[in-house]
């Protein structure tokens, strides 16, 4: 009886952390998309630079949240550490992106942003696919 209760609790925890992971990836994807929008405003509006700068901080925070969510989803269930590596990779890309933005290197900054958005959408689609497959 105690084993069943423990198993049910573990399943609930795993479901909750997996949902948190999916939300973190969705938030990261949204913030990267909003960075593309604010980059366009950077070229056309006086407040674009401020918006893009604030957005960079929010996007970086979303990448850190993704790492936290990946670790929390991995640790309790003892599953594959692959999501943690993906999240850490995004954090590295976000760090490079910030450095390139500060250094004003748009020839690399812009394509890297597009790559990050595509990878984030892919991660979100994979996470949603895995959720649909486990239901």
């Amino acid at each position: 009886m105690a084993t069943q209760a423990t198993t049910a609790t573990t399943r609930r925890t795993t479901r909750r952390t997996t949902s948190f992971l999916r939300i973190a990836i969705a938030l990261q994807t949204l913030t990267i998309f909003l960075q593309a929008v604010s980059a366009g405003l950077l070229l056309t509006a006086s407040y674009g630079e401020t918006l893009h700068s604030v957005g960079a901080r929010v996007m970086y925070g979303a990448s850190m949240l993704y790492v936290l969510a990946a670790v929390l989803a991995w640790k309790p269930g003892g599953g594959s550490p692959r999501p943690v590596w993906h999240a850490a990779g995004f954090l590295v890309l976000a760090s490079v992106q910030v450095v390139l933005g500060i250094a004003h290197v748009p020839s690399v900054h812009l394509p890297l942003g597009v790559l990050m958005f595509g990878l984030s959408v892919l991660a979100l689609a994979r996470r949603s696919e895995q959720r649909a497959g486990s239901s």
Side-chain angles (χ1 to χ4, degrees):
M1 187 70 172
T3 305
Q4 289 176 336
T6 304
T7 304
T9 303
T10 302
R11 272 192 234 135
R12 273 194 304 272
T13 302
T14 302
R15 239 182 281 133
R16 191 173 29 241
T17 56
T18 301
S19 294
F20 180 46
L21 179 59
R22 204 169 70 248
I23 290 168
I25 297 170
L27 180 64
Q28 175 183 267
T29 305
L30 177 64
T31 59
I32 293 171
F33 176 75
L34 292 176
Q35 279 302 91
V37 171
S38 69
L41 289 172
L42 183 71
L43 301 172
T44 59
S46 60
Y47 58 88
E49 185 175 355
T50 303
L51 193 60
H52 196 66
S53 178
V54 169
R57 289 168 176 80
V58 173
M59 185 274 302
Y60 197 78
S63 294
M64 287 191 282
L65 183 68
Y66 179 22
V67 172
L68 175 66
V71 169
L72 291 175
W74 166 58
K75 269 304 196 186
S80 171
R82 183 175 285 178
V84 176
W85 289 110
H86 290 171
F90 267 106
L91 190 57
V92 168
L93 289 175
S95 299
V96 170
Q97 189 69 331
V98 168
V99 168
L100 291 169
I102 291 170
H104 299 287
V105 185
S107 60
V108 183
H109 183 74
L110 271 68
L112 182 58
V114 171
L115 175 67
M116 288 175 64
F117 179 70
L119 290 173
S120 194
V121 168
L122 182 62
L124 184 59
R126 279 188 178 164
R127 184 57 46 192
S128 296
E129 183 180 285
Q130 287 173 353
R131 173 141 167 93
S134 68
S135 297

